[in-house]
Amino acid sequence: MYNKLQYISQGETIEKQLYNIHKALDAGCNWVQMRFKNQTQKDTFTLAEEVKYLCEKYTANFIVNDDLHLTKEIDACGVHLGLTDTKIDEARAILGPTKVIGGTANTFEDIENHVKNGCDYIGLGPFRFTNTKEKLSPILGLSGYYEILQKLKKNNIEIPVYAIGGITLRDVSPLIETGIHGIAVSGIITESDEKEKLIQQLNEKLHANIIV
Ligand SMILES: Cc1ncc(COP(=O)(O)OP(=O)(O)O)c(N)n1
Ligand SMILES: Cc1ncsc1CCOP(=O)(O)O
Ligand SMILES: [Mg+2]
C-alpha cells in the first residue's frame, strides 16, 4: 500500500531543492515528489538524478512532478500528472504497468476518469488556499472531501486518495475522517524548524484508527 505521507519538494535552485529534500528524508519522509517548476531541462535532469540517488540511499519512493519522459529516462518510481498535463492513459502506455502514476482531481468525475485510465492514486484538492501553487482549482474544504469520498464509496470506486493544499497538522484527523488515504504536503514540512517531530505527529494522526 502507498505511504500516507507524500512530501512535495520546494526550492528555486538545485541547491535549495536538494537541501529541502535531504532535510525531509533525514526527518523521516519516505515518499518524495520532486516539483521543480519553470526550469531548464538540463537543471531538472541534474536535480532528478541527485534526488534519485538520495531517495535510494534513504529507501524512499521518488516520483517526478509533470515530466513523464524524465520519469522514464531516470527510471523514477513514478510520476504525478495534473489535469492539464499528459493524460493518464498515455502515460500508462509509455511507462508500463509497474510505475506509479498519480493524478490530480478536483471533482468526483475527475477521479472516475483517472481510475478508468489506469491511475494508481489521486491527489484531490485544493483543501484550502495555498501560496505553493498558482492558479488553484476551486477550494474543496472539508465538506468537499466528505461529499466526494461518500460518492466514491457509493459507486464502489477504490483508489488511494490524498488530500492536498494548505494542509496543517490540525487538519489531518478531520481529513482522515472523510475517508482519504493520506496527505501530500509541501509548505508545512519545508518551513518547519522541527521536521522530525512534525513528521512523527503527522504519521501518528494519519495512522490513527478512525472508524469512518
Ligand atoms: C499529490 C499531488 N496532488 C496534486 C498535485 C497538483 O498537480 P498539478 O495540478 O499538475 O499542479 P502542479 O503540481 O504541476 O503545479 C500534485 N503535484 N501532487
Ligand atoms: C501542488 C499543489 N496542488 C494543489 S495545492 C498544491 C500545493 C501543496 O503545497 P502546500 O502543502 O504547501 O499547500
Ligand atoms: Mg502538473
Side-chain angles (χ1 to χ4, degrees):
M1 207 15 147
Y2 294 97
N3 299 326
K4 288 177 181 280
L5 179 64
Q6 183 185 114
Y7 170 64
I8 301 181
S9 71
Q10 273 188 33
E12 272 145 36
T13 62
I14 294 176
E15 292 70 28
K16 281 184 192 159
Q17 283 271 337
L18 284 175
Y19 177 85
N20 289 334
I21 291 169
H22 210 151
K23 289 274 175 200
L25 289 168
D26 260 340
C29 274
N30 47 22
W31 190 2
V32 173
Q33 177 186 153
M34 186 192 99
R35 184 171 182 270
F36 194 39
K37 303 295 266 192
N38 310 316
Q39 303 288 334
T40 63
Q41 245 181 320
K42 182 170 169 277
D43 281 2
T44 310
F45 183 83
T46 303
L47 175 64
E49 280 200 315
E50 297 267 3
V51 178
K52 189 182 175 204
Y53 168 78
L54 261 184
C55 286
E56 276 171 1
K57 199 167 135 198
Y58 283 80
T59 55
N61 292 320
F62 168 38
I63 62 166
V64 173
N65 174 263
D66 293 346
D67 198 331
L68 173 66
H69 295 286
L70 176 65
T71 304
K72 196 172 163 77
E73 200 175 348
I74 63 156
D75 193 28
C77 304
V79 66
H80 188 94
L81 299 168
L83 292 164
T84 57
D85 299 322
T86 311
K87 297 282 166 251
I88 303 288
D89 51 353
E90 251 177 77
R92 180 60 72 205
I94 292 169
L95 292 180
T98 58
K99 293 291 176 197
V100 174
I101 301 179
T104 301
N106 182 245
T107 64
F108 168 78
E109 288 73 23
D110 294 336
I111 302 181
E112 236 185 348
N113 285 331
H114 283 339
V115 171
K116 274 185 207 143
N117 290 324
C119 196
D120 293 305
Y121 78 87
I122 301 292
L124 177 65
F127 170 61
R128 70 160 61 84
F129 177 80
T130 173
N131 283 314
T132 308
K133 179 174 161 55
E134 291 171 3
K135 295 189 191 138
L136 290 171
S137 292
I139 287 166
L140 295 174
L142 214 48
S143 59
Y145 283 89
Y146 186 77
E147 251 172 57
I148 294 171
L149 269 293
Q150 286 297 310
K151 224 166 161 184
L152 288 176
K153 213 170 167 183
K154 230 186 248 167
N155 287 274
N156 294 315
I157 297 176
E158 283 184 26
I159 186 161
V161 175
Y162 289 76
I164 182 167
I167 294 170
T168 65
L169 181 61
R170 69 164 68 122
D171 298 319
V172 179
S173 300
L175 275 169
I176 284 289
E177 282 179 32
T178 69
I180 58 149
H181 176 73
I183 57 171
V185 296
S186 184
I188 48 164
I189 290 180
T190 308
E191 285 150 27
S192 171
D193 294 329
E194 292 184 299
K195 291 187 189 7
E196 202 171 328
K197 185 174 164 200
L198 173 66
I199 288 164
Q200 197 181 327
Q201 288 173 323
L202 288 169
N203 276 322
E204 269 166 24
K205 288 185 188 290
L206 286 166
H207 288 92
N209 277 325
I210 292 166
I211 298 156
V212 185

